[in-house]
Amino acid sequence: MGHTSLEKIIALQKKTAHIRNLCILAHVDHGKTTLADCLVASNGIISSRLAGKLRYLDSREDEQIRGITMKSSAISLHFATGGVEFLINLIDSPGHVDFSSEVSTAVRLCDGAIVVVDAVEGVCPQTQVVLRQAWLENIRPVLVINKIDRLIAELKLTSQEAYVHLQKILEQVNAVTGTLFTSKVLEERAEKDAGSQSSFTENESGDHVYDWSAGLEETDDSDLYFSPDRGNVVFASAIDGWGFSIHQFAEMYSQKMGIRSSVLLKTLWGDFYLNAKAKKIMKGAQSKGKKPLFVQFILDNIWSMYDAVVTRRDKEKVEKMMTSLGLKVMSRDLRHSDPKVLLSAICSQWLPLSQAVLSMVCEKLPSPAEISAERVEKLMSVGARRFDSLPDKTQELKKAFLDCSADETAPVIVFVSKMFAVDSKALPQNKQRPLTHEEISQRRELARQRHAEKQAANQSAESLASGDAGGDSIPAPAAAGVTDALCAQTEALSVKTTVEEENKEHFVAFARVYSGVVRKGQKVFVLGPKYDPSLALRALPEGCSVSDVLPSIPHMSYCTVDSLYLLMGRELEELDEVPSGNVLGIGGLEDVILKSATISTSPACPPFTPLNFEATPIVRVAVEPKHPSEMPKLVRGMKLLNQADPCAEVLIQETGEHVLVTAGEVHLQRCLDDLRERFAKIEISSSKPIIPFRETVVRPPRVDMVNEDLGKQQKVAVIHQVKEEQSKNPECVQVDSSGLVSLTTPNKMATVGVRAIPLPEQVTCLLEDNVELIRTMEQFNLSVREGKTLDISQKILDNIQDFKVKLESHLQGHKWRNAVDHIWAFGPRRCGPNILLNSIEGYRRPSVWQCLETEKTESSALRDFDNSIASGFQLATLAGPMCEEPLMGVCFSVESWDMKISTPVAQQDSVDEGSQPAELNNEHSEVSPVSSSRSRSKAEAAGSSVDCYGPFSGQLIAAVKEACRYAFQAKPQRLMAAMYTCEIMATAEVLGRVYAVLSKREGRVLQEEMKEGTDMFIIKAVLPVAESFGFADEIRKRTSGLASPQLIFSHWEVIGSDPFWVPTTEEEYLHFGEKADSTNQALKYMNAVRKRKGLYVEEKIVEHAEKQRTLGKNK
C-alpha cells in the first residue's frame, strides 16, 4: 500500500465506526516495536526491508542505543479490508518495568490492545502486568504469539513439538485472564450478598456452607479467552515479516480441498486430524497418534520453508515452493548472501504480517462508538464516589460518551493522559515546507540579480584602483545597497529567523476525544483531578459557557486550544478540527495542565479517574548544577522534566536539596540525560541514590546476633547497660523497667508518660494500604472541629467501617483491648503507618471514627493543648532517633498527662496553639497568619503562659516529641529496608552465577521453577533497594547477557541485625568485631544515612597514626 495522504486520514477521522484505537503491550524484548515497524511499513511510511531494523517509533537516541522503548508514541495508519477503509490509531508502549507508567497513559486512550508474547519465553512478569492494566481499563485484548522463528532456529523443535508448546503458551495467557475474571466475579458476588444470608445454604448437619462457584457458573466468559478458532490470535515472526491467523489458511484450503471454510475454522486448531482414506476430518488426533490439522496444514509448510531457505539453502526446492505459491522475488534477493533476506521476501508476500494483524484488529476490536456503559461509569466515578451519587447533569453526560457523537450540539469531552516535550523545530508550523514553483523562480531571479550586482561592484572597484577618474565611483555604494536589500528579501522568505530559532521546548498533550469536536481556537474548561462538578454547578449560573465571565472555581481553569496535531510517530501534522473517537496532540496547554487532566465545554463533566500506575517511584537522587550560578536554569529544567514524565517526581527537601524521584535505575538515567541535554541544558552533578529506610521497634529478641539464646547472665548485662544509658538521660526524663518514659516540660508545668509498642505486621500493612481512607477521616474530623460538614459517599463510609473491623480483628489480646476506639491520631502527616493511643485514665476525647457515628454521641470536649500532643507525635514519627528517617509500625501509648497550669492561662494559650497545625501540616491549615499573630500578641501581653522557655504549647510539643523518641529508644530498635521483588529468567548453565550475584547483594531466593518445554529457569527473589544499583548490569556481565532481571518495588522488611549490638565474648568479637569478615548490615546502612545527613557517626577514621617506616631506615 502506498503512502496515505493527510486529506485521506482527515476524511477517515469523521467515520467513528471505522476507527480503531489500540496499543501494543508486552514484556520487554518480546517484539512490540518490530511489530509496529511492520504495520507502519504497510502504509509506505518506511521501507518493508527496514522493518525491525529501523524501529521507527523509537525516536529517542537512547532508545535506539539501548534497544528498548522508553515512551509511548502514536501513529495513524490507513487499512482497507473487504472494501471498507479503517483508520487505525496505533500506540507503541514500553515493556520495561521502569516505564510502566507510560503503558498506563497509552491504555487509557485505547479501546483495544495487541498483547505480544514471545513464543520461547511465554508469559513473563510484565505480560501479566499489562494484561491486568488492560483488564482494569476495560479494554479488549487480542493476542500475537511472536518470534515463532526461534522455535525453529534456536530450540530446533519439530512442528509437532512446537504445536504442543504453543498450546501451553495459550493456556498460560488464558490462565492470567481467567484469574482476573474470577476475582472480579467473586468481588461482585460478595458485594451483592453482603449483609444477606441468601448465599448460605444449610447442609444436613446444620453447618453453613458458602457456595463460591455459583457466581462463576452463571457468568458468561465466552468472549474472554484467546483461541485461534475465535480469530483473536495471530502467530507471527515480526523480524521475518510474516504472520497468520487460521482464517487465512481456512480460506486457502477450502478452495484447494473443497471443504467448507466454516468447518476448517473449527477444526484447524484442536485435536482434529484428516483421515485421507475416508476424506473426512476426525477427532482424536492425540489418542490415535496422528498429526493434528494445525501441524499438517500449517506448521509443516512453514518448517519446510525454513528448512529449504535457511538451513539447507536448497535453491531448487525454493523455486518449486515459489512457483506453487505463485510468488515472485527480485533476483537480488535470490542472490543475497544472507538467507534471511530471501526468507522475509518470500514470507512477507505469502503471509504478510500487517494483513493478518490489522484484519484481526478491525474485526475483533471495538470502535470508539462501542464503548461499554460499565467503562464510562468507571471513568466518571472519581475516587470512591459512586456514579449514582453524581449530579443529574453529570449523569446525563453518560449518553454523550456512549453516542461518541461529533455533532455541533454534543459537549466536548477530552482526556489528556500525559504531556510530552517536543523541540520547537519539530512543530509543523516551524518546519521547512517544500517551495512552490513561483517561490523557486523568485529565488532564482533574486540570486541572478545579486550575482549581477556583485560583478558590477567588483568592476567599479577595479576601475577605481586603476586610477580612472570617471563617474564610475558612484555606483559602488549603490550596488552594495541593492545587494543588502536582496539579502533582506531572501531572509524574509526563509522559513524561520534566527530569533525564533531559540531552542525552546514545547509541550504537546497526548489526548483522546470522547465526545464532540475539538477545534483550533476553541475555549474550554480544564478540570483538575480534584475538581468537584457538584460544587461548580451550584456556584455557576445555569446554561453558562466558557466564553462568559465566570467566578473562580477550585481545580477548574479556562484556556484556548492553540493548535491540534495528528501524531505520526516522529512527525506531527497540523489539523483544524478533530471529531470524537480520535487520538490527537493538543498544543498550548503547558500552562494549565501539569501531567494529566480532563478538558470539556461542560462544567458538569467530572474529572476522569486517575491513571493506575504499576511502578512506584522509589529511587531518589539529589541534583545540583556544576556552576552554582546556573541554579535558576536547573530549577526551570526540573519543572519541565516533572511535566514531561508521568512517573518522575521533583521535590525540594527540608535540607534545600533538589531531589528527583524515579521508578528505577534505567528511568533515573533517562531523566538525568533529559535534564542535561533538553530541559536545563547545563552540566549537572547528581548524588549517589538516596535510599529510603524506615525505623521501627520489635519485641525483645530471644537470640543474639550469633544465634545464641539470651540467657539470664546476658539479660542481667543488658539491664545494666540500659541503666547506664538511663544515667546519661537528662533530669526531666525518667524511664522505668517496662519502657514507660515520663518527661517534664522545661517550665515544670506538665508531665507526659509515653510507651512505645510494636504494631503487628498485618496492622502496618493495613495502615499503608488505606492511606486515602485515613486522610478522608482526618478531613472530616477537621471540618467537624471547625463547625462545617463534609459529605462522604456511602461507599467510602462502608470502606472505613471495613477498615475499622479489620483493625479490630488484627489488634487482639489483653494489651490491645479497646485500642481501636482510643486511637488519638495516625502519623506521620496524619495518615501514616503509626498510631498514637489515648490510654489516659478519665480522658475521653472525640473519636477519630466520628464519620461512622450515626447519632451525635455526647463525648467530652477536647482538653486544652490536645493538639500539641498530636503535633509532637507527628514530629516524632516524621524523623526517628536512629537516622532521622520516618517511623513505621510503632504505636505510642500516652498513659499519663498531668498539667499544673491554671485554666484561664491554658485557654489563653490554647488560642495561640490553634495556629500550630498550620505550621505543622499545611494540608489541613485554614488558620490565617494574621489571627495567629494577633492571638500570640494577646498571650504575650497577658504574660501568662509565655515564660523564658517560650509558649507553653511549643514546650508541650517538644516534650511529647522527645518522650516519643526516648520511648522508642527504650525498646529494641531496628531499621526497615525497602525491598524489590526480582524475577530473573536464566538458562541452566548460568544459574550458579545468578545465585552468586544475588547472595553477594544480600538477596534472598524465594522460588525457582523451570519453564515447561524450554531450558529456562524463572528465579523469584527479594533484594534490598540499597543493594540494587548496578545489579542488572552485573547479572548481564556475569551471565554474558543470558539473564536479565526485572525489579519491582514490593514492600518494607525489618533488617534482622541490631545496629546497636556490641560484641562481648571472644567468639562474637571474631564474627562481628572491628576486623571481622561480616559487617553489621543495619549499622552500615544507618551510618551511611547519618553521614549523608550530617549527623554524628561513631567510627574510627584513623587506625594506626604512627608514621610508616621502611625496613632500610629501621636498621
Side-chain angles (χ1 to χ4, degrees):
M1 193 186 290
H3 190 64
T4 313
S5 66
L6 180 62
E7 289 73 26
K8 183 82 177 165
I9 287 177
I10 291 170
L12 287 169
Q13 282 188 335
K14 291 171 183 167
K15 298 174 184 173
T16 314
H18 296 166
I19 295 170
R20 298 288 181 273
N21 296 318
L22 62 123
C23 51
I24 306 179
L25 308 175
H27 186 80
V28 68
D29 282 336
H30 278 204
K32 293 178 300 299
T33 308
T34 308
L35 174 64
D37 266 10
C38 292
L39 302 183
V40 170
S42 71
N43 267 225
I45 296 168
I46 62 170
S47 161
S48 56
R49 289 171 179 278
L50 292 174
K53 300 176 186 75
L54 186 63
R55 301 207 312 277
Y56 181 71
L57 292 178
D58 286 356
S59 52
R60 293 171 58 97
E61 191 183 346
D62 47 1
E63 287 181 315
Q64 291 287 344
I65 292 166
R66 281 182 182 267
I68 59 169
T69 307
M70 296 185 183
K71 56 158 189 11
S72 299
S73 351
I75 192 162
S76 294
L77 305 175
H78 165 243
F79 177 68
T81 177
V84 183
E85 292 184 327
F86 289 91
L87 174 67
I88 289 165
N89 294 318
L90 179 76
I91 304 174
D92 181 27
S93 63
H96 196 286
V97 65
D98 283 11
F99 306 106
S100 60
S101 57
E102 291 278 350
V103 179
S104 306
T105 63
V107 167
R108 170 58 61 87
L109 305 184
C110 295
D111 303 301
I114 300 173
V115 177
V116 184
V117 175
D118 187 324
V120 174
E121 294 182 5
V123 174
C124 292
Q126 209 57 22
T127 316
Q128 296 179 8
V129 169
V130 295
L131 278 166
R132 186 166 68 248
Q133 282 180 310
W135 177 266
L136 289 171
E137 288 287 349
N138 286 53
I139 70 170
R140 196 180 299 167
V142 289
L143 184 67
V144 173
I145 298 180
N146 191 23
K147 302 196 184 184
I148 288 181
D149 58 296
R150 289 183 70 191
L151 300 180
I152 309 169
E154 288 179 30
L155 299 188
K156 298 197 168 36
L157 301 181
T158 63
S159 52
Q160 180 70 44
E161 289 167 342
Y163 170 64
V164 175
H165 183 75
L166 291 171
Q167 274 186 315
K168 281 177 183 166
I169 286 176
L170 265 174
E171 281 169 21
Q172 288 172 2
V173 179
N174 285 332
V176 175
T177 317
T179 311
L180 294 166
F181 169 74
T182 309
S183 61
K184 182 196 173 192
V185 170
L186 295 181
E187 261 178 44
E188 286 175 359
R189 183 90 200 283
E191 274 180 28
K192 200 186 289 180
D193 295 340
S196 70
Q197 296 296 313
S198 58
S199 58
F200 287 93
T201 55
E202 282 198 20
N203 62 11
E204 290 162 18
S205 60
D207 296 332
H208 289 296
V209 178
Y210 191 85
D211 183 14
W212 279 114
S213 62
L216 292 171
E217 285 167 6
E218 294 159 15
T219 316
D220 177 37
D221 62 347
S222 57
D223 293 337
L224 193 66
Y225 300 109
F226 300 107
S227 178
D229 52 357
R230 288 216 186 97
N232 58 3
V233 179
V234 161
F235 301 94
S237 167
I239 198 75
D240 291 337
W242 62 264
F244 65 88
S245 63
I246 62 171
H247 282 244
Q248 286 166 274
F249 278 96
E251 293 292 331
M252 214 182 286
Y253 282 109
S254 69
Q255 290 167 11
K256 280 188 181 180
M257 300 170 64
I259 302 172
R260 288 202 311 276
S261 62
S262 57
V263 174
L264 280 170
L265 268 177
K266 288 173 185 171
T267 55
L268 265 175
W269 180 263
D271 195 25
F272 299 96
Y273 71 98
L274 181 68
N275 188 328
K277 285 181 184 176
K279 291 190 176 177
K280 281 184 179 177
I281 292 172
M282 317 278 280
K283 202 169 180 165
Q286 196 175 355
S287 58
K288 291 172 186 170
K290 302 281 187 183
K291 271 189 181 179
L293 287 181
F294 188 76
V295 176
Q296 189 181 346
F297 286 3
I298 302 174
L299 293 188
D300 278 352
N301 291 321
I302 293 169
W303 257 243
S304 59
M305 175 73 76
Y306 269 80
D307 182 57
V309 179
V310 181
T311 315
R312 294 189 192 172
R313 303 201 184 184
D314 187 340
K315 283 189 179 178
E316 286 178 19
K317 197 175 178 187
V318 169
E319 281 172 11
K320 267 187 190 175
M321 284 178 164
M322 282 161 54
T323 312
S324 65
L325 292 168
L327 305 176
K328 284 183 181 177
V329 176
M330 293 168 77
S331 56
R332 71 170 179 183
D333 289 340
L334 283 166
R335 291 195 306 269
H336 206 286
S337 59
D338 184 2
K340 284 274 188 175
V341 173
L342 175 58
L343 181 78
S344 67
I346 295 170
C347 290
S348 58
Q349 286 182 57
W350 175 38
L351 301 169
L353 174 61
S354 57
Q355 182 72 32
V357 172
L358 295 178
S359 54
M360 171 176 72
V361 160
C362 297
E363 195 180 325
K364 294 291 166 190
L365 295 185
S367 72
E370 293 167 50
I371 188 167
S372 66
E374 183 190 4
R375 187 179 179 202
V376 171
E377 288 186 13
K378 211 170 175 182
L379 287 175
M380 293 174 78
S381 306
V382 187
R385 286 195 73 167
R386 292 220 324 262
F387 181 73
D388 312 342
S389 66
L390 293 168
D392 293 341
K393 278 192 176 181
T394 303
Q395 290 187 40
E396 285 166 19
L397 288 175
K398 180 182 170 183
K399 189 175 180 298
F401 270 98
L402 293 171
D403 291 348
C404 196
S405 169
D407 294 344
E408 295 292 323
T409 53
V412 173
I413 302 170
V414 178
F415 180 71
V416 174
S417 70
K418 68 166 184 172
M419 304 291 287
F420 63 94
V422 175
D423 195 27
S424 57
K425 292 173 191 169
L427 293 174
Q429 57 264 37
N430 297 340
K431 269 192 186 169
Q432 289 199 348
R433 56 186 174 75
L435 299 173
T436 60
H437 286 296
E438 292 81 22
E439 285 174 332
I440 291 169
S441 58
Q442 194 180 355
R443 288 197 173 194
R444 196 185 297 123
E445 192 58 43
L446 282 166
R448 276 181 193 154
Q449 283 182 24
R450 191 191 293 178
H451 185 64
E453 294 298 340
K454 267 188 181 176
Q455 277 188 328
N458 289 342
Q459 281 175 5
S460 61
E462 280 171 21
S463 60
L464 276 170
S466 62
D468 288 341
D472 288 309
S473 57
I474 301 156
V482 172
T483 310
D484 291 346
L486 283 166
C487 290
Q489 276 181 298
T490 314
E491 278 173 10
L493 275 167
S494 67
V495 180
K496 227 169 81 171
T497 58
T498 48
V499 180
E500 289 172 334
E501 221 164 25
E502 195 182 8
N503 283 333
K504 193 189 170 195
E505 288 293 334
H506 289 266
F507 280 90
V508 174
F510 191 40
R512 172 178 163 183
V513 188
Y514 283 88
S515 167
V517 182
V518 185
R519 291 186 174 84
K520 215 189 218 182
Q522 190 174 24
K523 281 197 167 184
V524 287
F525 294 113
V526 178
L527 316 172
K530 292 182 180 177
Y531 170 72
D532 186 355
S534 53
L535 284 174
L537 290 171
R538 283 202 293 269
L540 294 172
E542 202 168 322
C544 64
S545 70
V546 195
S547 49
D548 302 339
V549 179
L550 300 169
S552 66
I553 307 283
H555 309 292
M556 181 205 261
S557 54
Y558 320 97
C559 79
T560 306
V561 175
D562 275 2
S563 43
L564 302 172
Y565 301 112
L566 175 69
L567 305 169
M568 290 297 287
R570 301 180 181 191
E571 309 290 324
L572 294 172
E573 298 287 350
E574 208 163 3
L575 300 172
D576 291 326
E577 62 176 43
V578 179
S580 60
N582 285 288
V583 173
L584 76 157
I586 307 175
L589 299 180
E590 53 259 48
D591 297 333
V592 285
I593 297 176
L594 179 63
K595 288 182 191 253
S596 70
T598 311
I599 296 172
S600 181
T601 50
S602 164
C605 180
F608 282 31
T609 48
L611 298 164
N612 299 306
F613 288 153
E614 293 286 332
T616 317
I618 190 83
V619 181
R620 299 168 169 241
V621 290
V623 183
E624 62 180 18
K626 284 224 169 142
H627 309 292
S629 60
E630 292 176 330
M631 190 53 130
K633 285 185 184 176
L634 177 72
V635 172
R636 184 178 167 277
M638 288 186 84
K639 277 183 185 171
L640 293 174
L641 176 68
N642 185 34
Q643 193 166 14
D645 196 303
C647 189
E649 291 175 12
V650 170
L651 47 104
I652 300 174
Q653 285 193 319
E654 294 88 346
T655 53
E657 289 176 306
H658 287 73
V659 174
L660 180 62
V661 194
T662 59
E665 217 174 335
V666 183
H667 187 210
L668 170 65
Q669 195 54 52
R670 192 196 80 169
C671 288
L672 291 174
D673 289 346
D674 275 356
L675 205 54
R676 281 190 194 99
E677 292 158 22
R678 292 189 71 179
F679 300 125
K681 290 179 185 161
I682 55 169
E683 286 185 57
I684 57 170
S685 54
S686 57
S687 68
K688 284 183 179 176
I690 300 167
I691 298 119
F693 288 96
R694 295 287 181 268
E695 300 178 23
T696 190
V697 291
V698 292
R699 288 179 177 180
R702 292 180 183 176
V703 292
D704 65 6
M705 287 275 284
V706 285
N707 292 331
E708 289 182 355
D709 279 342
L710 288 168
K712 282 186 180 177
Q713 291 176 334
Q714 283 163 306
K715 282 181 180 173
V716 168
V718 168
I719 290 165
H720 282 301
Q721 191 182 340
V722 168
K723 281 183 178 174
E724 279 176 31
E725 283 173 8
Q726 283 181 16
S727 63
K728 296 175 191 172
N729 290 340
E731 288 176 22
C732 58
V733 181
Q734 280 95 38
V735 184
D736 70 3
S737 57
S738 67
L740 178 69
V741 172
S742 302
L743 195 140
T744 312
T745 55
N747 61 5
K748 307 287 188 287
M749 288 291 203
T751 307
V752 182
V754 179
R755 186 193 306 279
I757 311 163
L759 283 173
E761 196 179 333
Q762 303 98 313
V763 174
T764 310
C765 295
L766 192 66
L767 294 173
E768 266 201 300
D769 295 340
N770 291 283
V771 168
E772 287 303 320
L773 286 181
I774 297 169
R775 197 173 278 141
T776 308
M777 285 159 52
E778 188 59 42
Q779 284 172 349
F780 182 88
N781 297 341
L782 188 79
S783 60
V784 167
R785 261 177 261 153
E786 290 173 352
K788 297 177 188 173
T789 54
L790 185 73
D791 293 331
I792 299 180
S793 73
Q794 190 56 45
K795 191 174 180 182
I796 295 188
L797 290 173
D798 293 345
N799 291 347
I800 292 173
Q801 184 63 50
D802 290 348
F803 170 53
K804 187 180 179 184
V805 170
K806 282 178 188 169
L807 260 184
E808 285 168 344
S809 67
H810 291 317
L811 292 174
Q812 296 291 335
H814 173 70
K815 65 176 178 180
W816 296 113
R817 190 177 294 162
N818 297 330
V820 176
D821 292 321
H822 290 152
I823 292 175
W824 194 326
F826 299 94
R829 297 189 174 89
R830 300 183 183 269
C831 57
N834 303 288
I835 290 175
L836 181 66
L837 267 191
N838 172 19
S839 304
I840 304 163
E841 283 184 30
Y843 177 37
R844 282 188 63 225
R845 64 185 301 284
S847 166
V848 289
W849 310 100
Q850 283 181 85
C851 54
L852 296 176
E853 293 167 5
T854 47
E855 296 171 13
K856 293 276 179 185
T857 52
E858 284 295 319
S859 60
S860 63
L862 287 170
R863 256 174 88 171
D864 296 315
F865 304 108
D866 175 282
N867 211 24
S868 294
I869 301 278
S871 300
F873 161 73
Q874 299 295 344
L875 287 173
T877 52
L878 193 60
M882 290 168 77
C883 52
E884 302 290 322
E885 289 288 296
L887 303 191
M888 189 173 189
V890 185
C891 171
F892 289 107
S893 174
V894 182
E895 301 195 356
S896 63
W897 176 20
D898 304 320
M899 288 206 300
K900 298 172 187 171
I901 194 164
S902 58
T903 313
V905 169
Q907 283 175 351
Q908 179 64 49
D909 199 58
S910 67
V911 174
D912 172 43
E913 185 256 329
S915 65
Q916 207 64 36
E919 293 157 23
L920 287 157
N921 191 351
N922 41 14
E923 229 178 61
H924 306 298
S925 67
E926 291 194 12
V927 184
S928 68
V930 179
S931 63
S932 63
S933 58
R934 200 178 296 145
S935 59
R936 197 174 287 118
S937 60
K938 278 183 189 175
E940 282 170 9
S944 52
S945 60
V946 182
D947 48 29
C948 63
Y949 301 108
F952 179 64
S953 59
Q955 292 179 46
L956 192 56
I957 290 171
V960 172
K961 179 190 166 186
E962 288 305 310
C964 287
R965 286 172 82 103
Y966 283 118
F968 183 91
Q969 287 169 310
K971 296 282 177 184
Q973 307 165 59
R974 293 289 183 272
L975 263 190
M976 291 181 88
M979 303 297 278
Y980 276 136
T981 51
C982 168
E983 296 218 8
I984 307 168
M985 290 187 73
T987 50
E989 58 263 27
V990 296
L991 270 185
R993 295 176 206 167
V994 170
Y995 279 104
V997 175
L998 275 168
S999 58
K1000 175 185 159 189
R1001 290 175 174 264
E1002 309 291 331
R1004 194 172 71 250
V1005 175
L1006 303 177
Q1007 102 186 59
E1008 173 199 293
E1009 59 183 36
M1010 193 170 184
K1011 223 174 176 66
E1012 279 186 71
T1014 67
D1015 61 345
M1016 303 289 282
F1017 282 84
I1018 299 176
I1019 303 154
K1020 291 186 180 175
V1022 287
L1023 180 79
V1025 172
E1027 302 288 343
S1028 70
F1029 301 101
F1031 173 70
D1033 285 342
E1034 189 177 356
I1035 283 248
R1036 275 196 285 273
K1037 280 174 192 167
R1038 293 287 296 275
T1039 62
S1040 307
L1042 291 173
S1044 57
Q1046 286 267 308
L1047 298 170
I1048 303 170
F1049 174 70
S1050 168
H1051 63 285
W1052 296 92
E1053 194 172 281
V1054 177
I1055 300 170
S1057 51
D1058 179 1
F1060 298 105
W1061 181 79
V1062 180
T1064 49
T1065 66
E1066 194 176 333
E1067 185 196 359
E1068 287 171 2
Y1069 193 79
L1070 200 67
H1071 275 286
F1072 293 98
E1074 288 167 10
K1075 296 180 183 177
D1077 294 334
S1078 52
T1079 55
N1080 182 336
Q1081 200 65 24
L1083 182 64
K1084 186 180 92 174
Y1085 290 151
M1086 187 178 86
N1087 284 347
V1089 176
R1090 290 185 71 90
K1091 264 185 190 172
R1092 179 170 59 76
K1093 293 185 174 181
L1095 303 171
Y1096 170 70
V1097 178
E1098 194 173 314
E1099 62 176 353
K1100 283 187 178 176
I1101 297 170
V1102 179
E1103 201 164 331
H1104 302 292
E1106 64 268 12
K1107 189 178 176 184
Q1108 184 181 357
R1109 292 196 178 93
T1110 58
L1111 286 169
K1113 286 189 177 178
N1114 282 341
K1115 284 175 186 175

